[in-house]
Amino acid sequence: MVRLQGKTVVVTGAARGVGRACALAFSREGADLALLDVCGDVDGVPYPLGTVSQLDHTARLCREQGAAVLTATADVRDGAALRAAVDATLDRFGAVDVLVNNAGIVAPSGRTTHEITEDEWQVMLDINLSGAWRMISLVGPHMVARRSGSIVNVASTAGLVGYRHFAGYTASKHGLIGLTRATALDYAPLKVRVNALCPGSIRDDSAVEGRMLTEIARSLELPVGEHEQTFVQSQPMNALIEPEDVAGAALWLASDESRQVTGSVLTVDGGFTIR
Ligand SMILES: NC(=O)c1ccc[n+]([C@@H]2O[C@H](COP(=O)([O-])OP(=O)(O)OC[C@H]3O[C@@H](n4cnc5c(N)ncnc54)[C@H](O)[C@@H]3O)[C@@H](O)[C@H]2O)c1
């Protein structure tokens, strides 16, 4: 069964990691894609973000699976760049059926709440929370006009529980769940669905070039292996999450198989938040 034939999906943060895994899963199911990424480093984010060549690589892999793909360099903090990317998507494909708000950062982190600077707080909230709101502001009206659409916000278990020394990240992901719930209520009568996904700790898979787990360990000044082991033990299924596990859940939320599901917060965390 090809679940997204004829649909257009916009994915932010698509150069690598979960964004790339989602793009691949969607293209396998017949979707056409608009892939957005900042494609460059951001002031105040202490690790390299995705690159143009990584975004192009994602696009190439999707095209190999038969998808038509548009790529755009756009920072989710930059409303004008996002508008240009959404306009180009609508010009090329005529509609947006699915929006995956995946772009996110995990650091600057690793400090007690009162040690976070104003700039560190702002960049975290601006990307992880306001970025999703900006995309919804641009894509939502088109979905509402068509009385059809699915928005998937990639939150985190940090949207459900606290993580010591990650107050900014935790607040941004709790905020994203709040944004999901309120927007789901606004849009429910208009037949646009909005859901949140909460992954647990994801393996840095070299095939998709994800690096968030490494950056979390670095923020905590822990060796990556030690940090991985902690999560393997604290996720009751005793495994890290694979990027495809998250992509599979995103695909279900995007597809008509979940047509009565809105405002939900779906964990993909090996049971981490059960207790
Ligand atoms: N990796 C994990 O363990 C984990 C767990 C839970 C939730 N998540 C969430 O999953 C999402 C994807 O994370 P990942 O693990 O693939 O990380 P990643 O760092 O490998 O990829 C994130 C992508 O987002 C892009 N991006 C960052 N800031 C951007 C901006 N301002 N504008 C546009 N693009 C931007 C980056 O360039 C990069 O390509 C994030 O929202 C993250 O919070 C990850």
Side-chain angles (χ1 to χ4, degrees):
M1 180 177 48
V2 181
R3 291 187 276 178
L4 293 178
Q5 195 68 50
K7 305 269 189 191
T8 301
V9 180
V10 176
V11 183
T12 66
R16 68 181 190 208
V18 171
R20 181 183 290 171
C22 285
L24 287 170
F26 290 127
S27 61
R28 253 194 310 274
E29 293 294 334
D32 293 325
L33 293 160
L35 304 178
L36 277 55
D37 203 283
V38 65
C39 295
D41 294 344
V42 167
D43 263 3
V45 177
Y47 63 96
L49 297 178
T51 63
V52 173
S53 66
Q54 286 177 317
L55 185 63
D56 287 346
H57 186 56
T58 304
R60 198 173 318 120
L61 295 172
C62 293
R63 288 189 186 108
E64 280 168 15
Q65 301 191 118
V69 183
L70 174 154
T71 59
T73 296
D75 186 331
V76 295
R77 297 172 305 166
D78 179 349
L82 296 179
R83 180 177 293 281
V86 170
D87 286 350
T89 305
L90 290 167
D91 280 351
R92 168 99 181 257
F93 298 115
V96 175
D97 299 285
V98 178
L99 165 64
V100 182
N101 280 316
N102 164 77
I105 55 169
V106 73
S109 287
R111 287 206 287 279
T112 300
T113 300
H114 65 255
E115 293 171 337
I116 300 170
T117 67
E118 175 82 24
D119 285 351
E120 289 171 342
W121 179 264
Q122 292 298 350
V123 75
M124 184 65 75
L125 273 288
D126 209 5
I127 293 176
N128 287 8
L129 177 55
S130 306
W133 168 78
R134 284 185 196 98
M135 284 302 293
I136 293 170
S137 301
L138 289 165
V139 172
H142 300 281
M143 291 181 164
V144 163
R146 297 175 65 229
R147 296 291 190 270
S148 170
S150 173
I151 298 171
V152 180
N153 292 325
V154 181
S156 165
T157 49
L160 296 168
V161 298
Y163 280 85
R164 179 176 292 152
H165 293 158
F166 281 84
Y169 185 72
T170 302
S172 72
K173 294 300 188 178
H174 274 68
L176 188 53
I177 290 178
L179 175 68
T180 301
R181 290 185 167 133
T183 313
L185 274 179
D186 287 350
Y187 283 177
L190 304 166
K191 308 298 174 211
V192 175
R193 302 184 297 108
V194 191
N195 292 287
L197 259 184
C198 292
S201 190
I202 301 167
R203 190 168 68 82
D204 281 348
D205 180 357
S206 57
V208 295
E209 302 181 85
R211 60 180 297 152
M212 199 168 267
L213 188 139
T214 302
E215 296 307 332
I216 294 170
R218 200 195 309 275
S219 292
L220 295 170
E221 295 177 10
L222 287 174
V224 176
E226 193 179 310
H227 176 70
E228 266 191 35
Q229 259 327 100
T230 305
F231 268 92
V232 167
Q233 281 157 19
S234 62
Q235 296 188 156
M237 296 188 80
N238 294 133
L240 294 174
I241 309 305
E242 297 294 331
E244 309 84 75
D245 297 327
V246 183
L251 186 59
W252 181 72
L253 287 173
S255 77
D256 290 342
E257 288 162 37
S258 61
R259 64 182 181 272
Q260 293 296 342
V261 179
T262 196
S264 77
V265 178
L266 179 59
T267 56
V268 184
D269 68 351
F272 180 75
T273 48
I274 292 171
R275 58 191 175 204

